[in-house]
Amino acid sequence: KVAIVGISVDQPNDSTLWKTTIRKYNLTWLNVNDSKSLLVQKMAIVNYPTKILIDKNKKIVLVDTDNSYETFYQEIEKLINSK
């Protein structure tokens, strides 16, 4: 099972744009707004977008900030195939 969570750091006054974007691009996964950057600080995120893969044991297996996507998708495939 793979779950996606989108975390936005948009400020509350930008929430209309954020919500419109979610609808426009049919982002059906869980999307949360972290306008106070509590999650961002806790996870030490400094680049956007940052993609984090967490395995079924809640272990972080990859933090991707370079937007290459190749490694990210390879790791997703490994997680899916390691049932």
Side-chain angles (χ1 to χ4, degrees):
K1 178 180 175 180
V2 174
I4 298 173
V5 178
I7 302 172
S8 169
V9 293
D10 291 332
Q11 296 305 305
N13 59 340
D14 293 330
S15 68
T16 301
L17 176 60
W18 175 63
K19 291 174 184 177
T20 300
T21 301
I22 290 169
R23 283 191 299 277
K24 178 179 179 180
Y25 293 102
N26 197 30
L27 306 179
T28 57
W29 51 82
L30 176 62
N31 287 279
V32 295
N33 188 294
D34 185 28
S35 63
K36 294 182 181 178
S37 296
L38 300 175
L39 288 170
V40 169
Q41 290 173 16
K42 186 173 186 169
M43 299 182 84
I45 295 172
V46 295
N47 293 329
Y48 299 95
T50 295
K51 297 170 291 304
I52 301 170
L53 289 180
I54 302 171
D55 70 10
K56 62 186 173 189
N57 299 312
K58 299 180 183 175
K59 178 185 173 206
I60 295 175
V61 294
L62 176 71
V63 177
D64 181 17
T65 60
D66 66 6
N67 291 329
S68 68
Y69 292 99
E70 185 176 335
T71 302
F72 179 72
Y73 290 117
Q74 288 171 348
E75 288 299 320
I76 288 176
E77 191 171 336
K78 277 195 237 176
L79 284 174
I80 291 171
N81 293 328
S82 70
K83 298 178 183 177

